[in-house]
Amino acid sequence: MDRNAPVGVFDSGIGGLTVAREIIRQIPEERIVYFGDTARLPYGSKSRDTVARYSRQIIRFLRTKEVKAIVIACNTASAYALEAIQAESDIPVIGVVNAGARTAVSSTRNGKIGVIGTEGTVGSGIYKEVMHKLRPGAEVFEKSCPLFVPLVEEGLLHDSVTDEIASRYLSVLKEKYIDTLVLGCTHYPLLRSTLRRLMGDEVVLVNPAYETAVELRELLCSQGLERDCQAPLDGERYQFYVSDLAEKFTRFATSILPGEVKKTEKINIEDY
């Protein structure tokens, strides 16, 4: 395995850029190949079999870029496909669920944890399952927020419509007196200021994107796969690919990763 090879990161769209951003912050020497499946989002409303099929196609594409590890920067794909893909892969593959769940159970003071995510992630029960293994007595309350992804994709991060919808979604969790809230979709950190204002400062917001970047750094170090800082850089450090709407992706990605998105290439993911 070439330790100087890039890390592959994929998501259903732009949400995984929050994971890429944290990887860049935590391990800036690493190269990244990012794929956003913008033609087929959202994943949260699709079946387990469909999401697993999409994930395998994307991984086949990323393997053509000779990546040394893969981060599934999508909670739904992590819930539906991670275990099977890890069993099939000869390189490290991690998702975003486990890191977020570990942080949540260590952060809660009253044992009441909220999870917001897509219909797929919440329907899978994966966060509740992992948290109960880590802390059997924890009370986990999950709420699907299907409109958050399209609102983020449309750039409505600070809008009265978003405020109204978020208030309705979160009211159910506030009634449970949770003290910790997991942002169980990689799009959701982009709504962090709205969620913080609505939940109040006493509720800890857990961003699995940050925790996943830390987990990746530790994984690469433990397996001797961290990039040699002195190695020459062949081409762009960060490469971006999508299945549709490359120009729109670039515009939005530039707001999340200023100066890092030089270009975005559209590919036909169905070829893989």
Side-chain angles (χ1 to χ4, degrees):
M1 181 65 65
D2 180 7
R3 64 183 293 188
N4 297 317
V7 173
V9 180
F10 80 85
D11 182 55
S12 61
I14 62 170
L17 290 169
T18 61
V19 178
R21 179 173 61 186
E22 294 299 338
I23 293 172
I24 291 170
R25 288 172 175 171
Q26 298 297 320
I27 34 180
E29 65 276 9
E30 294 295 339
R31 298 165 56 208
I32 296 173
V33 178
Y34 182 95
F35 178 80
D37 199 359
T38 48
R40 303 185 296 194
L41 65 84
Y43 280 10
S45 59
K46 295 181 172 61
S47 70
R48 179 182 296 270
D49 288 346
T50 296
V51 172
R53 176 168 62 85
Y54 288 176
S55 298
R56 288 187 172 96
Q57 288 177 324
I58 295 167
I59 285 175
R60 284 193 287 270
F61 163 69
L62 291 174
R63 294 302 297 263
T64 69
K65 302 300 179 182
E66 300 181 338
V67 297
K68 62 185 177 184
I70 292 174
V71 178
I72 303 180
C74 172
N75 283 264
T76 303
S78 295
Y80 282 171
L82 176 62
E83 189 173 333
I85 287 171
Q86 286 177 326
E88 298 164 1
S89 181
D90 59 351
I91 63 173
V93 181
I94 64 172
V96 289
V97 171
N98 288 341
R102 284 198 299 270
T103 302
V105 298
S106 64
S107 299
T108 183
R109 302 175 302 280
N110 67 5
K112 298 179 185 292
I113 302 169
V115 178
I116 53 175
T118 65
E119 292 174 294
T121 299
V122 170
S124 74
I126 186 66
Y127 269 104
K128 184 176 293 187
E129 177 185 336
V130 174
M131 289 182 192
H132 282 164
K133 287 180 180 177
L134 296 170
R135 183 168 173 171
E139 293 183 76
V140 182
F141 306 98
E142 299 177 296
K143 174 63 179 174
S144 63
C145 304
L147 294 177
F148 278 174
V149 169
L151 287 169
V152 170
E153 295 280 345
E154 289 300 317
L156 300 175
L157 304 182
H158 306 285
D159 188 275
S160 59
V161 173
T162 304
D163 286 353
E164 174 64 22
I165 291 170
S167 180
R168 293 190 184 192
Y169 283 154
L170 297 177
S171 63
V172 177
L173 297 176
K174 293 181 75 170
E175 292 172 357
K176 303 297 184 182
Y177 299 102
I178 63 169
D179 71 351
T180 304
L181 179 65
V182 179
L183 311 186
C185 172
T186 49
H187 286 70
Y188 296 1
L190 298 172
L191 299 173
R192 186 183 182 94
S193 61
T194 298
L195 301 175
R196 161 61 60 220
R197 175 164 43 80
L198 292 172
M199 293 305 298
D201 292 337
E202 66 277 8
V203 175
V204 175
L205 299 185
V206 175
N207 177 8
Y210 170 80
E211 307 302 336
T212 301
V214 172
E215 181 179 346
L216 175 65
R217 181 182 63 199
E218 294 172 350
L219 173 68
L220 296 178
C221 289
S222 69
Q223 299 202 13
L225 291 175
E226 66 268 43
R227 186 174 183 274
D228 180 357
C229 296
Q230 304 302 316
L233 190 63
D234 183 17
E236 295 289 347
R237 184 179 294 275
Y238 309 123
Q239 301 174 48
F240 300 89
Y241 299 87
V242 293
S243 50
D244 200 9
L245 302 171
E247 291 184 5
K248 180 179 179 180
F249 176 91
T250 301
R251 288 196 300 270
F252 202 103
T254 300
S255 69
I256 300 173
L257 299 172
E260 304 294 1
V261 187
K262 308 302 183 185
K263 68 174 183 177
T264 304
E265 183 177 339
K266 176 185 173 182
I267 65 163
N268 185 3
I269 194 62
E270 296 287 0
D271 289 343
Y272 294 87

